[in-house]
Amino acid sequence: MPKYLPSLRALQIFSVAARLGSFKHASQQLFITPQAVSLQIKSLEDQLGLKLFERKPSGIVITNSGQQLLDYVERGLALMQRGVDEVCGQHHRPVIRVSSSPWFAVNCLLPRLSEFEAAYPDCLVQVSTSVAFPDFEAQGLDLAIQWGFGEWGFESQQLLLTDDKLIVCAPELPKRIPLSQAGDLIYHRLLCTPLSVPLWGRVLDILKVDAAVDQQVLPLDSHAGLLEAANRGLGVAMISTGDALDGIAAGRLVAPLGEQPISRLNPALMPGYWLAHKEIAPENARVKAFIDWMQDWLQDHPRAVRVNLY
């Protein structure tokens, strides 16, 4: 056990390298050389007496010890950032901290954020993205918009947009491997994003298909990657219905089991984008204004759930 805490700089470099999965990419973000990153990580490993990364020809892979340390380091850095923000905030604009699923941030929130900033120029909106449900305390969040089924048990959560799915694949795939009925899914690689792995299991249960989901599934990091893999014929995918129908219309995809979204099997299968927030204190009137602003333009979205957000 080290007698003294490692330097904050070394821990920061470790956090960036672990998050990016690359010493080279970390060096570019930190404006230092890859050699400097490698030396800092090696020094940190020596001080801790732990191996934090496996060095492979294809890149670095974080170890179990590294992952455990990363969880603490990220919470510590986030807490320090929150403290700095709060101290500085006494002399600067109030901040609304929002975490969002990447798709919602890119396609819904960020394109319209300038409207809110124009209406509330004295308020700063900080948006971060997260695939998994975020840590409100560690990140000092006011609200989050996350993909899923609203199963987080949070204080206040409300479905904003639905995200129904369609089972699709490239046109040539059924020509190579049979796929005319649900039972044929046992012969195929199942494509999805990491959070929707359990959804494949639920869909196959309802279809009464005895598939080895954990062995057949190929999780891809993003919806864009999922689309690309499906277009290339790498497996059968569950794609958001709008993108799936666009792909079918363009001839890039087919719906081998019929153009029926999974919600037709059971409405409870349909995920969506949810708003989650804590109780809004009277002094946080700007957070309420932000939610009111989102409610105003989301009601016209084709996937909107037309209910009050709080």
Side-chain angles (χ1 to χ4, degrees):
M1 180 180 296
K3 185 176 182 180
Y4 304 105
L5 281 175
S7 74
L8 181 59
R9 181 60 170 166
L11 293 173
Q12 181 191 29
I13 290 173
F14 161 71
S15 174
V16 173
R19 176 162 43 83
L20 298 179
S22 166
F23 288 172
K24 179 180 178 181
H25 293 162
S27 71
Q28 292 169 345
Q29 180 166 319
L30 295 166
F31 300 102
I32 58 178
T33 66
Q35 292 78 9
V37 173
S38 182
L39 286 172
Q40 286 277 8
I41 298 298
K42 181 64 168 62
S43 175
L44 182 60
E45 289 177 324
D46 291 343
Q47 183 177 359
L48 297 176
L50 297 170
K51 193 171 185 179
L52 302 177
F53 296 100
E54 295 285 351
R55 279 77 165 174
K56 299 179 180 294
S58 58
I60 58 170
V61 178
I62 194 166
T63 64
N64 290 337
S65 296
Q67 185 61 60
Q68 185 178 6
L69 177 62
L70 177 64
D71 293 340
Y72 285 105
V73 169
E74 289 191 328
R75 287 201 297 268
L77 291 173
L79 187 59
M80 285 187 285
Q81 183 64 58
R82 179 181 176 185
V84 170
D85 290 345
E86 288 181 354
V87 171
C88 293
Q90 296 174 10
H91 306 286
H92 296 83
R93 294 183 293 169
V95 179
I96 299 175
R97 295 178 178 85
V98 182
S99 176
S100 172
S101 287
W103 183 90
F104 189 92
V106 171
N107 293 279
C108 299
L109 181 56
L110 294 179
R112 306 197 64 144
L113 189 57
S114 60
E115 299 173 11
F116 182 83
E117 292 172 334
Y120 294 87
D122 63 331
C123 185
L124 177 64
V125 181
Q126 291 183 345
V127 179
S128 59
T129 59
S130 174
V131 174
F133 194 81
D135 186 328
F136 267 65
E137 291 301 324
Q139 297 175 242
L141 296 175
D142 294 297
L143 56 93
I145 302 105
Q146 295 299 128
W147 184 93
F149 295 88
E151 298 173 340
W152 306 292
F154 206 68
E155 299 171 24
S156 178
Q157 54 190 46
Q158 180 66 57
L159 180 62
L160 303 181
L161 302 179
T162 59
D163 186 26
D164 213 347
K165 303 291 184 180
L166 190 63
I167 297 175
V168 295
C169 65
E172 66 272 13
L173 186 60
K175 299 174 185 177
R176 292 190 282 112
I177 307 172
L179 187 53
S180 60
Q181 56 186 355
D184 292 333
L185 288 168
I186 64 174
Y187 305 115
H188 290 269
R189 182 181 291 113
L190 307 176
L191 309 176
C192 61
T193 55
L195 289 183
S196 57
V197 171
L199 183 56
W200 260 123
R202 295 169 66 183
V203 168
L204 293 172
D205 283 345
I206 289 177
L207 292 173
K208 301 187 184 307
V209 177
D210 187 16
V213 175
D214 58 336
Q215 299 175 29
Q216 292 179 237
V217 75
L218 174 62
L220 294 126
D221 286 343
S222 67
H223 187 67
L226 176 61
L227 272 173
E228 181 65 17
N231 289 335
R232 288 177 175 268
L234 302 183
V236 181
M238 278 194 294
I239 301 287
S240 297
T241 51
D243 291 329
L245 293 174
D246 287 345
I248 291 170
R252 296 188 302 271
L253 298 171
V254 294
L257 304 181
E259 294 184 15
Q260 175 176 285
I262 61 173
S263 64
R264 297 284 183 86
L265 299 173
N266 185 334
L269 291 174
M270 183 167 59
Y273 292 89
W274 294 72
L275 168 73
H277 63 84
K278 299 180 178 180
E279 183 178 354
I280 302 173
E283 62 268 22
N284 289 338
R286 289 176 180 81
V287 175
K288 182 178 183 301
F290 185 85
I291 295 175
D292 285 340
W293 167 75
M294 277 206 309
Q295 182 180 30
D296 184 55
W297 53 265
L298 276 176
Q299 65 183 346
D300 296 323
H301 195 283
R303 298 195 213 166
V305 179
R306 291 170 175 82
V307 293
N308 200 292
L309 302 188
Y310 44 78

